[in-house]
Amino acid sequence: PDPTTYNFESFLSTYGLTKSSDLKFVKNKMVLRIDLTMGEATKSLDWYESRIAKPEWAIEGLARVVYGDTSKRDKYFRNIAKGEGVDQVLSAAGCKKALPVCSALIDPVPIKTLGEVAGAEVAGAEARRVVPLVALAVAALWAAVA
């Protein structure tokens, strides 16, 4: 479905539910989607399209929606049961660097691997510590909502 028009009513209709359902997620108005941030031209989801993974952004976005904590980053997640719509549309105009795919006059530049970046050993160690924490945080947030 088109993320810009998909809302709580669409969700209820798709799954044969009503607003008066006794299901906990309907009563508590907690129906989450990962389409808050999307691309303008193709309506692609930033959740899948981002070049660099930022799990900390996902955790902040999830915490913002689940706990209503507006001090957290507004990223990826939206609660359609509370009327949140797609409000982060990424466009080519937002790019700060011209890319080879956009112009034949630009040559591609290699992307450095972690081994080529200064402090890569630290970055790799940090990544190995962050991934299990992200999984734990998602499980904890899910348990709190369920």
Side-chain angles (χ1 to χ4, degrees), residues 72-133:
K72 302 293 183 198
R73 184 182 311 267
D74 194 12
K75 191 71 171 175
Y76 303 123
F77 296 93
R78 68 181 177 119
N79 186 346
I80 59 173
K82 292 185 178 173
E84 294 180 2
V86 174
D87 69 356
Q88 296 179 12
V89 180
L90 307 175
S91 70
C95 293
K96 294 181 171 75
K97 182 173 177 118
L99 300 174
V101 73
C102 300
S103 171
L105 303 174
I106 301 169
D107 291 326
V109 177
I111 298 172
K112 292 182 180 181
T113 64
L114 281 178
E116 297 170 322
V117 177
E121 298 79 24
V122 174
E126 287 297 318
R128 284 189 294 278
R129 283 195 294 265
V130 168
V131 171
L133 291 175

Short mmCIF file of all heavy atoms in Angstrom, two decimals, residues 72-133:
data_model
loop_
_atom_site.label_atom_id
_atom_site.label_comp_id
_atom_site.label_asym_id
_atom_site.label_seq_id
_atom_site.Cartn_x
_atom_site.Cartn_y
_atom_site.Cartn_z
N LYS A 72 13.22 11.84 21.97
CA LYS A 72 13.92 10.86 21.13
C LYS A 72 13.78 11.23 19.65
O LYS A 72 12.83 11.90 19.25
CB LYS A 72 13.36 9.45 21.35
CG LYS A 72 13.45 8.95 22.77
CD LYS A 72 14.87 8.75 23.18
CE LYS A 72 14.93 8.17 24.59
NZ LYS A 72 16.23 8.32 25.19
N ARG A 73 14.72 10.74 18.87
CA ARG A 73 14.76 11.00 17.43
C ARG A 73 13.47 10.51 16.76
O ARG A 73 12.98 9.43 17.03
CB ARG A 73 15.96 10.27 16.84
CG ARG A 73 16.18 10.52 15.37
CD ARG A 73 17.36 9.73 14.84
NE ARG A 73 18.54 9.88 15.65
CZ ARG A 73 19.50 10.79 15.44
NH1 ARG A 73 19.41 11.61 14.43
NH2 ARG A 73 20.55 10.85 16.23
N ASP A 74 12.96 11.31 15.86
CA ASP A 74 11.76 11.01 15.09
C ASP A 74 12.22 10.33 13.80
O ASP A 74 12.48 10.99 12.81
CB ASP A 74 11.04 12.32 14.80
CG ASP A 74 9.64 12.14 14.31
OD1 ASP A 74 9.12 11.02 14.40
OD2 ASP A 74 9.06 13.13 13.83
N LYS A 75 12.33 9.00 13.81
CA LYS A 75 12.91 8.30 12.67
C LYS A 75 12.24 6.94 12.47
O LYS A 75 11.99 6.22 13.43
CB LYS A 75 14.41 8.12 12.91
CG LYS A 75 15.21 7.66 11.72
CD LYS A 75 15.32 8.74 10.67
CE LYS A 75 16.30 8.33 9.59
NZ LYS A 75 16.34 9.28 8.51
N TYR A 76 11.97 6.62 11.23
CA TYR A 76 11.46 5.32 10.76
C TYR A 76 10.04 4.96 11.21
O TYR A 76 9.21 4.63 10.40
CB TYR A 76 12.39 4.17 11.14
CG TYR A 76 13.81 4.31 10.66
CD1 TYR A 76 14.87 4.29 11.55
CD2 TYR A 76 14.09 4.46 9.31
CE1 TYR A 76 16.18 4.41 11.11
CE2 TYR A 76 15.39 4.60 8.86
CZ TYR A 76 16.44 4.57 9.77
OH TYR A 76 17.71 4.70 9.34
N PHE A 77 9.77 4.98 12.51
CA PHE A 77 8.51 4.46 13.03
C PHE A 77 7.42 5.53 13.14
O PHE A 77 7.70 6.67 13.50
CB PHE A 77 8.72 3.84 14.42
CG PHE A 77 9.62 2.65 14.41
CD1 PHE A 77 10.98 2.79 14.65
CD2 PHE A 77 9.12 1.38 14.17
CE1 PHE A 77 11.83 1.69 14.63
CE2 PHE A 77 9.95 0.28 14.15
CZ PHE A 77 11.31 0.44 14.38
N ARG A 78 6.19 5.11 12.88
CA ARG A 78 5.04 5.96 13.13
C ARG A 78 3.91 5.10 13.67
O ARG A 78 3.83 3.90 13.39
CB ARG A 78 4.61 6.72 11.88
CG ARG A 78 4.02 5.84 10.78
CD ARG A 78 3.66 6.68 9.57
NE ARG A 78 3.16 5.87 8.49
CZ ARG A 78 1.94 5.98 7.96
NH1 ARG A 78 1.10 6.87 8.42
NH2 ARG A 78 1.57 5.20 6.97
N ASN A 79 3.06 5.71 14.46
CA ASN A 79 1.92 5.01 15.05
C ASN A 79 0.67 5.47 14.31
O ASN A 79 0.16 6.56 14.56
CB ASN A 79 1.81 5.32 16.55
CG ASN A 79 0.73 4.50 17.22
OD1 ASN A 79 -0.12 3.90 16.57
ND2 ASN A 79 0.76 4.50 18.53
N ILE A 80 0.20 4.63 13.41
CA ILE A 80 -0.96 5.02 12.61
C ILE A 80 -2.23 5.06 13.44
O ILE A 80 -3.19 5.76 13.09
CB ILE A 80 -1.14 4.13 11.36
CG1 ILE A 80 -1.32 2.66 11.74
CG2 ILE A 80 0.02 4.31 10.40
CD1 ILE A 80 -1.66 1.75 10.56
N ALA A 81 -2.27 4.35 14.56
CA ALA A 81 -3.46 4.35 15.40
C ALA A 81 -3.65 5.72 16.08
O ALA A 81 -4.75 6.07 16.48
CB ALA A 81 -3.38 3.26 16.46
N LYS A 82 -2.58 6.48 16.20
CA LYS A 82 -2.66 7.82 16.78
C LYS A 82 -2.64 8.90 15.71
O LYS A 82 -2.43 10.08 16.00
CB LYS A 82 -1.52 8.02 17.77
CG LYS A 82 -1.68 7.14 19.01
CD LYS A 82 -0.63 7.42 20.04
CE LYS A 82 -0.88 6.55 21.27
NZ LYS A 82 0.21 6.67 22.25
N GLY A 83 -2.82 8.50 14.46
CA GLY A 83 -2.93 9.45 13.36
C GLY A 83 -1.61 9.99 12.82
O GLY A 83 -1.61 10.96 12.07
N GLU A 84 -0.50 9.37 13.17
CA GLU A 84 0.78 9.83 12.65
C GLU A 84 0.89 9.46 11.18
O GLU A 84 0.60 8.33 10.79
CB GLU A 84 1.95 9.23 13.43
CG GLU A 84 2.01 9.69 14.86
CD GLU A 84 3.17 9.08 15.63
OE1 GLU A 84 3.97 8.32 15.05
OE2 GLU A 84 3.28 9.38 16.83
N GLY A 85 1.30 10.42 10.37
CA GLY A 85 1.45 10.19 8.94
C GLY A 85 2.91 10.21 8.54
O GLY A 85 3.80 10.44 9.36
N VAL A 86 3.16 9.96 7.26
CA VAL A 86 4.51 10.06 6.72
C VAL A 86 4.88 11.52 6.70
O VAL A 86 4.20 12.33 6.08
CB VAL A 86 4.56 9.47 5.29
CG1 VAL A 86 5.91 9.70 4.66
CG2 VAL A 86 4.20 8.00 5.31
N ASP A 87 5.94 11.89 7.41
CA ASP A 87 6.30 13.31 7.43
C ASP A 87 7.77 13.56 7.17
O ASP A 87 8.24 14.69 7.27
CB ASP A 87 5.87 13.97 8.74
CG ASP A 87 6.66 13.50 9.94
OD1 ASP A 87 7.50 12.61 9.80
OD2 ASP A 87 6.44 14.05 11.03
N GLN A 88 8.50 12.53 6.80
CA GLN A 88 9.90 12.70 6.46
C GLN A 88 10.10 12.14 5.06
O GLN A 88 10.28 10.95 4.87
CB GLN A 88 10.80 11.98 7.46
CG GLN A 88 10.71 12.55 8.85
CD GLN A 88 11.60 11.80 9.83
OE1 GLN A 88 12.44 11.01 9.45
NE2 GLN A 88 11.41 12.07 11.10
N VAL A 89 10.05 13.04 4.08
CA VAL A 89 10.20 12.63 2.69
C VAL A 89 11.56 13.11 2.19
O VAL A 89 11.84 14.31 2.20
CB VAL A 89 9.06 13.20 1.82
CG1 VAL A 89 9.22 12.77 0.38
CG2 VAL A 89 7.70 12.75 2.36
N LEU A 90 12.39 12.15 1.82
CA LEU A 90 13.73 12.46 1.34
C LEU A 90 13.68 12.69 -0.16
O LEU A 90 13.07 11.93 -0.89
CB LEU A 90 14.67 11.30 1.66
CG LEU A 90 14.69 10.84 3.12
CD1 LEU A 90 15.56 9.61 3.27
CD2 LEU A 90 15.17 11.96 4.03
N SER A 91 14.33 13.77 -0.61
CA SER A 91 14.33 14.08 -2.03
C SER A 91 15.75 14.33 -2.51
O SER A 91 16.67 14.55 -1.71
CB SER A 91 13.47 15.32 -2.32
OG SER A 91 14.10 16.47 -1.80
N ALA A 92 15.92 14.32 -3.81
CA ALA A 92 17.23 14.58 -4.41
C ALA A 92 17.73 15.97 -4.02
O ALA A 92 18.94 16.20 -3.89
CB ALA A 92 17.16 14.44 -5.92
N ALA A 93 16.83 16.90 -3.81
CA ALA A 93 17.22 18.27 -3.43
C ALA A 93 17.94 18.29 -2.08
O ALA A 93 18.69 19.22 -1.80
CB ALA A 93 15.99 19.17 -3.39
N GLY A 94 17.72 17.28 -1.26
CA GLY A 94 18.37 17.22 0.04
C GLY A 94 19.79 16.68 0.00
O GLY A 94 20.50 16.72 1.01
N CYS A 95 20.23 16.20 -1.16
CA CYS A 95 21.59 15.66 -1.28
C CYS A 95 22.60 16.79 -1.29
O CYS A 95 22.43 17.79 -1.99
CB CYS A 95 21.73 14.84 -2.56
SG CYS A 95 20.75 13.34 -2.55
N LYS A 96 23.66 16.62 -0.52
CA LYS A 96 24.69 17.65 -0.45
C LYS A 96 25.85 17.36 -1.39
O LYS A 96 26.69 18.19 -1.62
CB LYS A 96 25.20 17.75 0.99
CG LYS A 96 24.13 18.27 1.94
CD LYS A 96 24.68 18.38 3.35
CE LYS A 96 23.74 19.08 4.27
NZ LYS A 96 22.63 18.41 4.74
N LYS A 97 25.91 16.15 -1.92
CA LYS A 97 27.00 15.75 -2.80
C LYS A 97 26.42 15.16 -4.07
O LYS A 97 25.54 14.31 -4.03
CB LYS A 97 27.89 14.74 -2.09
CG LYS A 97 29.08 14.31 -2.90
CD LYS A 97 30.01 13.43 -2.09
CE LYS A 97 31.13 12.97 -2.97
NZ LYS A 97 32.41 13.40 -2.53
N ALA A 98 26.94 15.62 -5.21
CA ALA A 98 26.50 15.06 -6.49
C ALA A 98 27.04 13.65 -6.64
O ALA A 98 28.19 13.37 -6.28
CB ALA A 98 26.99 15.95 -7.63
N LEU A 99 26.22 12.75 -7.14
CA LEU A 99 26.61 11.36 -7.29
C LEU A 99 26.74 10.99 -8.76
O LEU A 99 26.07 11.58 -9.61
CB LEU A 99 25.56 10.46 -6.63
CG LEU A 99 25.35 10.69 -5.14
CD1 LEU A 99 24.19 9.85 -4.64
CD2 LEU A 99 26.61 10.38 -4.36
N PRO A 100 27.58 10.01 -9.07
CA PRO A 100 27.77 9.60 -10.46
C PRO A 100 26.48 9.19 -11.15
O PRO A 100 26.34 9.39 -12.35
CB PRO A 100 28.74 8.41 -10.35
CG PRO A 100 29.43 8.59 -9.06
CD PRO A 100 28.45 9.28 -8.15
N VAL A 101 25.55 8.63 -10.42
CA VAL A 101 24.29 8.21 -11.02
C VAL A 101 23.47 9.42 -11.50
O VAL A 101 22.63 9.30 -12.37
CB VAL A 101 23.48 7.33 -10.04
CG1 VAL A 101 22.89 8.16 -8.93
CG2 VAL A 101 22.41 6.55 -10.75
N CYS A 102 23.78 10.59 -10.95
CA CYS A 102 23.04 11.80 -11.30
C CYS A 102 23.67 12.57 -12.46
O CYS A 102 23.01 13.40 -13.08
CB CYS A 102 22.95 12.73 -10.09
SG CYS A 102 22.12 11.97 -8.69
N SER A 103 24.96 12.35 -12.73
CA SER A 103 25.63 13.11 -13.77
C SER A 103 26.75 12.28 -14.39
O SER A 103 27.56 11.68 -13.67
CB SER A 103 26.20 14.40 -13.18
OG SER A 103 27.04 15.04 -14.13
N ALA A 104 26.84 12.32 -15.71
CA ALA A 104 27.91 11.60 -16.40
C ALA A 104 29.26 12.29 -16.22
O ALA A 104 30.31 11.73 -16.54
CB ALA A 104 27.57 11.49 -17.89
N LEU A 105 29.25 13.51 -15.72
CA LEU A 105 30.49 14.27 -15.53
C LEU A 105 31.21 13.94 -14.22
O LEU A 105 32.32 14.41 -13.99
CB LEU A 105 30.18 15.78 -15.57
CG LEU A 105 29.49 16.28 -16.84
CD1 LEU A 105 29.11 17.74 -16.69
CD2 LEU A 105 30.38 16.06 -18.05
N ILE A 106 30.59 13.14 -13.39
CA ILE A 106 31.16 12.83 -12.07
C ILE A 106 31.67 11.39 -12.07
O ILE A 106 30.96 10.47 -12.47
CB ILE A 106 30.10 13.01 -10.97
CG1 ILE A 106 29.61 14.45 -10.97
CG2 ILE A 106 30.67 12.65 -9.61
CD1 ILE A 106 28.39 14.66 -10.12
N ASP A 107 32.92 11.24 -11.63
CA ASP A 107 33.50 9.90 -11.52
C ASP A 107 33.20 9.32 -10.15
O ASP A 107 33.21 10.02 -9.14
CB ASP A 107 35.02 9.96 -11.73
CG ASP A 107 35.38 10.31 -13.16
OD1 ASP A 107 34.64 9.89 -14.07
OD2 ASP A 107 36.38 11.01 -13.37
N PRO A 108 32.99 8.01 -10.08
CA PRO A 108 32.74 7.38 -8.78
C PRO A 108 33.98 7.46 -7.89
O PRO A 108 35.10 7.44 -8.37
CB PRO A 108 32.43 5.93 -9.12
CG PRO A 108 32.42 5.82 -10.59
CD PRO A 108 32.89 7.08 -11.18
N VAL A 109 33.75 7.54 -6.60
CA VAL A 109 34.83 7.57 -5.61
C VAL A 109 34.67 6.32 -4.76
O VAL A 109 33.56 6.02 -4.30
CB VAL A 109 34.72 8.83 -4.73
CG1 VAL A 109 35.78 8.82 -3.65
CG2 VAL A 109 34.82 10.08 -5.58
N PRO A 110 35.75 5.57 -4.55
CA PRO A 110 35.63 4.36 -3.73
C PRO A 110 35.19 4.68 -2.31
O PRO A 110 35.57 5.72 -1.76
CB PRO A 110 37.05 3.77 -3.72
CG PRO A 110 37.81 4.52 -4.76
CD PRO A 110 37.10 5.80 -5.03
N ILE A 111 34.40 3.80 -1.75
CA ILE A 111 33.97 3.94 -0.36
C ILE A 111 34.95 3.16 0.49
O ILE A 111 35.20 1.98 0.24
CB ILE A 111 32.54 3.40 -0.17
CG1 ILE A 111 31.57 4.21 -1.02
CG2 ILE A 111 32.15 3.44 1.31
CD1 ILE A 111 30.17 3.63 -1.04
N LYS A 112 35.51 3.81 1.50
CA LYS A 112 36.48 3.15 2.36
C LYS A 112 35.80 2.07 3.21
O LYS A 112 34.68 2.25 3.67
CB LYS A 112 37.15 4.17 3.29
CG LYS A 112 38.02 5.14 2.55
CD LYS A 112 38.69 6.10 3.51
CE LYS A 112 39.57 7.07 2.77
NZ LYS A 112 40.25 8.00 3.68
N THR A 113 36.51 0.98 3.38
CA THR A 113 36.02 -0.07 4.26
C THR A 113 36.41 0.27 5.69
O THR A 113 37.22 1.18 5.92
CB THR A 113 36.62 -1.43 3.88
OG1 THR A 113 38.03 -1.37 4.08
CG2 THR A 113 36.31 -1.79 2.43
N LEU A 114 35.87 -0.44 6.64
CA LEU A 114 36.21 -0.18 8.04
C LEU A 114 37.71 -0.31 8.28
O LEU A 114 38.28 0.43 9.07
CB LEU A 114 35.46 -1.13 8.97
CG LEU A 114 34.01 -0.77 9.25
CD1 LEU A 114 33.37 -1.83 10.13
CD2 LEU A 114 33.89 0.58 9.90
N GLY A 115 38.36 -1.25 7.58
CA GLY A 115 39.79 -1.43 7.75
C GLY A 115 40.60 -0.25 7.25
O GLY A 115 41.74 -0.05 7.67
N GLU A 116 40.03 0.54 6.36
CA GLU A 116 40.73 1.70 5.80
C GLU A 116 40.47 2.99 6.57
O GLU A 116 41.15 3.98 6.38
CB GLU A 116 40.31 1.91 4.33
CG GLU A 116 40.67 0.75 3.44
CD GLU A 116 40.05 0.87 2.06
OE1 GLU A 116 38.88 1.34 1.97
OE2 GLU A 116 40.70 0.50 1.10
N VAL A 117 39.50 2.97 7.42
CA VAL A 117 39.13 4.17 8.16
C VAL A 117 39.94 4.23 9.45
O VAL A 117 40.13 3.22 10.11
CB VAL A 117 37.62 4.15 8.49
CG1 VAL A 117 37.22 5.35 9.33
CG2 VAL A 117 36.81 4.11 7.21
N ALA A 118 40.40 5.42 9.80
CA ALA A 118 41.17 5.57 11.04
C ALA A 118 40.33 5.13 12.22
O ALA A 118 39.15 5.48 12.33
CB ALA A 118 41.60 7.02 11.22
N GLY A 119 40.91 4.36 13.11
CA GLY A 119 40.18 3.89 14.28
C GLY A 119 39.23 2.76 13.98
O GLY A 119 38.29 2.53 14.71
N ALA A 120 39.45 2.04 12.89
CA ALA A 120 38.53 0.98 12.49
C ALA A 120 38.41 -0.11 13.54
O ALA A 120 37.34 -0.67 13.72
CB ALA A 120 38.97 0.37 11.16
N GLU A 121 39.50 -0.38 14.24
CA GLU A 121 39.44 -1.41 15.27
C GLU A 121 38.42 -1.04 16.34
O GLU A 121 37.65 -1.86 16.80
CB GLU A 121 40.81 -1.63 15.92
CG GLU A 121 41.88 -2.11 14.96
CD GLU A 121 42.47 -0.99 14.09
OE1 GLU A 121 42.40 0.19 14.49
OE2 GLU A 121 42.95 -1.30 13.00
N VAL A 122 38.42 0.24 16.73
CA VAL A 122 37.48 0.71 17.74
C VAL A 122 36.05 0.64 17.19
O VAL A 122 35.15 0.16 17.84
CB VAL A 122 37.82 2.16 18.17
CG1 VAL A 122 36.75 2.70 19.10
CG2 VAL A 122 39.18 2.19 18.84
N ALA A 123 35.87 1.10 15.94
CA ALA A 123 34.54 1.09 15.33
C ALA A 123 34.00 -0.33 15.24
O ALA A 123 32.84 -0.58 15.52
CB ALA A 123 34.58 1.74 13.95
N GLY A 124 34.85 -1.28 14.84
CA GLY A 124 34.41 -2.67 14.73
C GLY A 124 34.02 -3.24 16.08
O GLY A 124 33.01 -3.93 16.21
N ALA A 125 34.81 -2.92 17.11
CA ALA A 125 34.50 -3.40 18.46
C ALA A 125 33.20 -2.79 18.94
O ALA A 125 32.37 -3.46 19.56
CB ALA A 125 35.65 -3.06 19.41
N GLU A 126 33.01 -1.50 18.67
CA GLU A 126 31.76 -0.83 19.06
C GLU A 126 30.57 -1.48 18.37
O GLU A 126 29.54 -1.71 18.99
CB GLU A 126 31.82 0.67 18.73
CG GLU A 126 32.72 1.47 19.62
CD GLU A 126 32.26 1.45 21.08
OE1 GLU A 126 31.05 1.56 21.33
OE2 GLU A 126 33.13 1.31 21.95
N ALA A 127 30.71 -1.76 17.09
CA ALA A 127 29.61 -2.37 16.34
C ALA A 127 29.25 -3.73 16.93
O ALA A 127 28.09 -4.08 17.04
CB ALA A 127 29.98 -2.50 14.87
N ARG A 128 30.27 -4.51 17.30
CA ARG A 128 29.99 -5.83 17.87
C ARG A 128 29.28 -5.71 19.21
O ARG A 128 28.54 -6.59 19.61
CB ARG A 128 31.30 -6.62 18.01
CG ARG A 128 31.81 -7.16 16.68
CD ARG A 128 32.97 -8.11 16.87
NE ARG A 128 34.16 -7.50 17.40
CZ ARG A 128 35.06 -6.81 16.69
NH1 ARG A 128 34.87 -6.66 15.41
NH2 ARG A 128 36.12 -6.28 17.26
N ARG A 129 29.50 -4.61 19.93
CA ARG A 129 28.80 -4.43 21.21
C ARG A 129 27.40 -3.87 21.01
O ARG A 129 26.50 -4.15 21.76
CB ARG A 129 29.60 -3.48 22.11
CG ARG A 129 30.80 -4.13 22.76
CD ARG A 129 31.30 -3.28 23.90
NE ARG A 129 31.84 -2.01 23.48
CZ ARG A 129 33.13 -1.77 23.24
NH1 ARG A 129 34.01 -2.72 23.37
NH2 ARG A 129 33.53 -0.58 22.88
N VAL A 130 27.20 -3.05 19.98
CA VAL A 130 25.92 -2.38 19.77
C VAL A 130 24.85 -3.34 19.25
O VAL A 130 23.71 -3.29 19.70
CB VAL A 130 26.08 -1.18 18.80
CG1 VAL A 130 24.73 -0.67 18.34
CG2 VAL A 130 26.87 -0.07 19.46
N VAL A 131 25.19 -4.23 18.33
CA VAL A 131 24.19 -5.11 17.71
C VAL A 131 23.42 -5.92 18.75
O VAL A 131 22.19 -5.93 18.74
CB VAL A 131 24.84 -5.99 16.62
CG1 VAL A 131 23.86 -7.04 16.14
CG2 VAL A 131 25.30 -5.12 15.47
N PRO A 132 24.09 -6.61 19.70
CA PRO A 132 23.31 -7.35 20.71
C PRO A 132 22.46 -6.42 21.58
O PRO A 132 21.37 -6.78 21.98
CB PRO A 132 24.36 -8.07 21.55
CG PRO A 132 25.60 -8.07 20.73
CD PRO A 132 25.52 -6.88 19.84
N LEU A 133 22.96 -5.21 21.84
CA LEU A 133 22.19 -4.26 22.65
C LEU A 133 20.93 -3.81 21.93
O LEU A 133 19.88 -3.64 22.53
CB LEU A 133 23.05 -3.06 23.02
CG LEU A 133 24.19 -3.34 24.00
CD1 LEU A 133 25.04 -2.09 24.19
CD2 LEU A 133 23.65 -3.83 25.32
#
